[in-house]
Amino acid sequence: MFKPTVGPIIGHTTTNHARIFVRGAAQKSAPVFAGIRYRQSGHEQWLKTNFARLTSLQDISEVIVLDNLMADTEYEYQAGWFSTTSAGHTMDSLQELPLQWPQELYRLRTRSSTFSMPRAYFVGSCRYLRMTAGIPSAPQLGDRIFASIAKLAQQADPPVSAMLMTGDQIYVDDLNFFAPDREYQQILAKYRAAFSQPHISRFMANVSTYMILDDHEIEDNWPDKKRSGDDILYNNAISAYEIYQASHSPVFELLDDGRISRHPKHYWYQFTDGDIEWFVTDSRTQRNLSADDRRILDVEQEHALCQWLIHSPARVKLVVTSVMFFPDAKNNGDDAWAGFPGQRLRLLETIRSHRLKNVIFVAGDVHASMTSRLTHSEDPDFEVHTIVSSPLCNSKLLPYASQSSFILDRPLARTAAGEYRQELTGKVISQDNFAHLVIDAKRIRVNYHDRDGKLLQSTDIELR
């Protein structure tokens, strides 16, 4: 067996199952398979080996599901791929092959079903990796921060449940003014390069990652700058996104036979970790830019989000939106929620009218990191927070944002019932960074670290 060409990537993980992405390599006409075997950490006996056929339809990749796992348990696993001379192999006959597994040993931890336990997460976005003639230019610049993230994950207490990658995991349009990538194979090559760098590869093989796209997975400010002929670009970009980012998320339905469906109805999704729940929105692909019904979320998604906010019993509700919910940017703010004030106000009024507590919006995009709070002039019970983390690796072509980049000196919105007033709750960080969130019974501690792992700032959000 050979080491995966991309992966393994641990995706959606629950108390009893985990999804792991693995890519091999095409072997002319020979069938190609991937395999994962696993056991509880500290045990010698392998519990099971799962195999999957790899085809060109998924760029020689597949998501293998490990099922019937025990809650709050650490497992170790090995992953690899191989080809055979026989096209007639079944999943049962593959079990009989004398395979020599790659030496690398990885670990995953299932979720705990205990509600009172503290949880921890990483958040990051905007990881720039320039490609020149199909080859990454100085890839270590976009990879080194993951060495620091992985080191912190190994030391973290409580253990880190997952990393939320909130957009711009790749830049399809990194050479937009010269020769932007538009072809399917070019975009696939970007994903292979971005996800196979040594530090991010090692990290994603040991910690669950949840991803959502933003504009640079397609084109800058998509769809505002959409031109004639861009439908082909969109289809190519979305097909690649489904393979490398959506496939291991909860977007794809888990079938009775242990495989996952390949027909997602949408790209937004939810997942639960004890008494903490996440709603990861798709704030990019379903926008309506018409003047009479501007929407950053489509009708179905807005309804699902509101119903989840109102009816979910979760103690803490975190809403991921790849673009800023608030505060608004002075320049190009209309690409974020500032350009969709009616829909944003409906969400805020839903939260306020139902007296919902501990709602946190998590975002990226702006090449700066910050925490901020929104209150209401006439309703002392209303309070909403944002946590923003960006970028993991900036391009020298783009400036970092600073405090002066945002509108902070006037209300976010006004209604007959009062004003929504915003304020920063910490400094704006203008350098490469990632966020480490620790959620316990009383607070969310937001720790921002630089690319070398040094603590830059720590802010507490008190839970109510």
Side-chain angles (χ1 to χ4, degrees):
M1 295 182 77
F2 300 96
K3 183 179 178 181
T5 57
V6 181
I9 300 173
I10 304 176
H12 180 44
T13 303
T14 69
T15 55
N16 62 4
H17 97 273
R19 305 181 185 196
I20 303 179
F21 173 97
V22 180
R23 181 181 185 272
Q27 298 295 301
K28 295 183 179 180
S29 59
V32 179
F33 297 88
I36 292 178
R37 64 178 182 176
Y38 61 98
R39 62 192 177 193
Q40 287 190 40
S41 293
H43 291 223
E44 292 187 5
Q45 184 68 36
W46 296 102
L47 294 173
K48 191 176 180 182
T49 300
N50 289 6
F51 292 103
R53 177 81 180 265
L54 308 182
T55 71
S56 59
L57 289 176
Q58 308 299 331
D59 196 33
I60 320 297
S61 75
E62 190 54 88
V63 174
I64 295 177
V65 178
L66 310 187
D67 214 344
N68 298 313
L69 305 178
M70 295 177 61
D72 197 17
T73 301
E74 185 180 83
Y75 290 84
E76 55 190 24
Y77 70 98
Q78 291 177 304
W81 67 275
F82 60 96
S83 62
T84 70
T85 56
S86 171
H89 271 298
T90 65
M91 294 302 139
D92 289 334
S93 67
L94 291 174
Q95 302 280 349
E96 306 302 321
L97 294 178
L99 298 172
Q100 184 173 353
W101 290 79
Q103 291 184 351
E104 286 82 359
L105 195 63
Y106 310 105
R107 286 177 169 79
L108 71 87
R109 176 174 287 277
T110 53
R111 302 289 176 261
S112 171
S113 57
T114 304
F115 277 21
S116 58
M117 288 181 59
R119 260 81 172 181
Y121 308 89
F122 293 130
V123 176
S125 66
C126 307
R127 181 208 174 202
Y128 186 76
L129 182 72
R130 170 171 287 178
M131 301 277 284
T132 303
I135 300 172
S137 304
Q140 70 279 4
L141 299 180
D143 192 44
R144 60 185 176 185
I145 196 169
F146 285 96
S148 301
I149 297 173
K151 182 177 180 180
L152 182 54
Q154 292 172 353
Q155 303 168 347
D157 184 20
V160 175
S161 291
M163 180 165 188
L164 281 295
M165 296 185 180
T166 66
D168 298 340
Q169 278 68 255
I170 69 162
Y171 282 66
V172 169
D173 59 343
D174 63 344
L175 295 175
N176 218 23
F177 296 105
F178 173 61
D181 289 333
R182 303 178 67 85
E183 300 302 323
Y184 183 53
Q185 290 300 326
Q186 292 177 320
I187 299 171
L188 290 175
K190 282 211 163 147
Y191 275 107
R192 294 178 204 139
F195 287 178
S196 63
Q197 298 305 314
H199 295 309
I200 189 174
S201 180
R202 187 72 189 178
F203 171 76
M204 294 195 300
N206 292 278
V207 177
S208 297
T209 56
Y210 291 84
M211 305 175 183
I212 192 64
L213 81 169
D214 198 21
D215 55 341
H216 292 291
E217 271 89 358
I218 308 166
E219 187 176 58
D220 186 37
N221 283 13
W222 181 269
D224 186 55
K225 298 179 180 179
K226 181 180 177 182
R227 303 182 303 276
S228 175
D230 275 355
D231 286 339
I232 296 175
L233 164 65
Y234 178 79
N235 290 335
N236 289 338
I238 283 297
S239 295
Y241 169 76
E242 287 189 2
I243 292 172
Y244 280 95
Q245 297 199 57
S247 65
H248 43 82
S249 78
V251 162
F252 290 87
E253 181 185 359
L254 183 62
L255 303 176
D256 291 339
D257 62 3
R259 297 180 299 115
I260 60 170
S261 166
R262 283 290 177 181
H263 303 286
K265 299 177 182 178
H266 46 68
Y267 298 127
W268 47 269
Y269 58 88
Q270 305 163 33
F271 68 95
T272 301
D273 189 9
D275 56 1
I276 298 166
E277 291 189 9
W278 295 78
F279 192 113
V280 181
T281 67
D282 169 14
S283 57
R284 185 56 65 179
T285 74
Q286 298 298 313
R287 296 185 176 203
N288 186 342
L289 303 182
S290 64
D292 57 344
D293 187 28
R294 284 184 63 84
R295 289 180 168 273
I296 194 169
L297 310 181
D298 56 282
V299 173
E300 179 188 6
Q301 186 177 182
E302 180 184 347
H303 176 75
L305 175 57
C306 288
Q307 291 300 301
W308 173 79
L309 285 168
I310 295 167
H311 298 296
S312 167
R315 180 176 61 92
V316 180
K317 301 174 185 178
L318 298 114
V319 182
V320 174
T321 166
S322 58
V323 294
M324 290 278 284
F325 194 71
F326 73 88
D328 296 336
K330 292 178 180 177
N331 297 319
N332 202 31
D334 283 354
D335 183 57
W337 283 84
F340 306 85
Q343 191 170 45
R344 178 168 63 181
L345 183 59
R346 287 198 298 273
L347 286 179
L348 292 175
E349 289 289 275
T350 296
I351 294 168
R352 191 176 71 85
S353 63
H354 287 87
R355 309 184 74 80
L356 304 177
K357 300 183 185 303
N358 302 331
V359 178
I360 315 294
F361 287 87
V362 179
D365 183 53
V366 294
H367 293 242
S369 293
M370 71 200 81
T371 57
S372 56
R373 176 171 56 208
L374 194 67
T375 57
H376 193 275
S377 61
E378 307 303 321
D379 188 345
D381 287 336
F382 174 85
E383 184 176 276
V384 166
H385 291 262
T386 62
I387 300 170
V388 181
S389 182
S390 168
L392 291 164
C393 178
N394 202 10
S395 163
K396 294 181 180 178
L397 301 176
L398 296 173
Y400 293 99
S402 62
Q403 182 169 330
S404 62
S405 305
F406 301 98
I407 301 170
L408 300 164
D409 58 352
R410 60 176 182 262
L412 187 74
R414 292 186 176 93
T415 70
E419 297 178 343
Y420 286 98
R421 297 172 176 173
Q422 56 193 329
E423 62 176 337
L424 295 176
T425 53
K427 295 180 180 178
V428 174
I429 295 169
S430 304
Q431 64 185 89
D432 291 359
N433 72 93
F434 64 94
H436 175 212
L437 316 185
V438 179
I439 306 177
D440 60 25
K442 296 182 178 180
R443 67 184 64 83
I444 302 175
R445 173 154 291 174
V446 185
N447 297 318
Y448 288 109
H449 297 261
D450 71 9
R451 63 190 179 197
D452 297 318
K454 178 184 176 182
L455 181 64
L456 297 171
Q457 178 173 288
S458 184
T459 303
D460 284 350
I461 299 173
E462 299 299 326
L463 298 174
R464 300 181 295 157

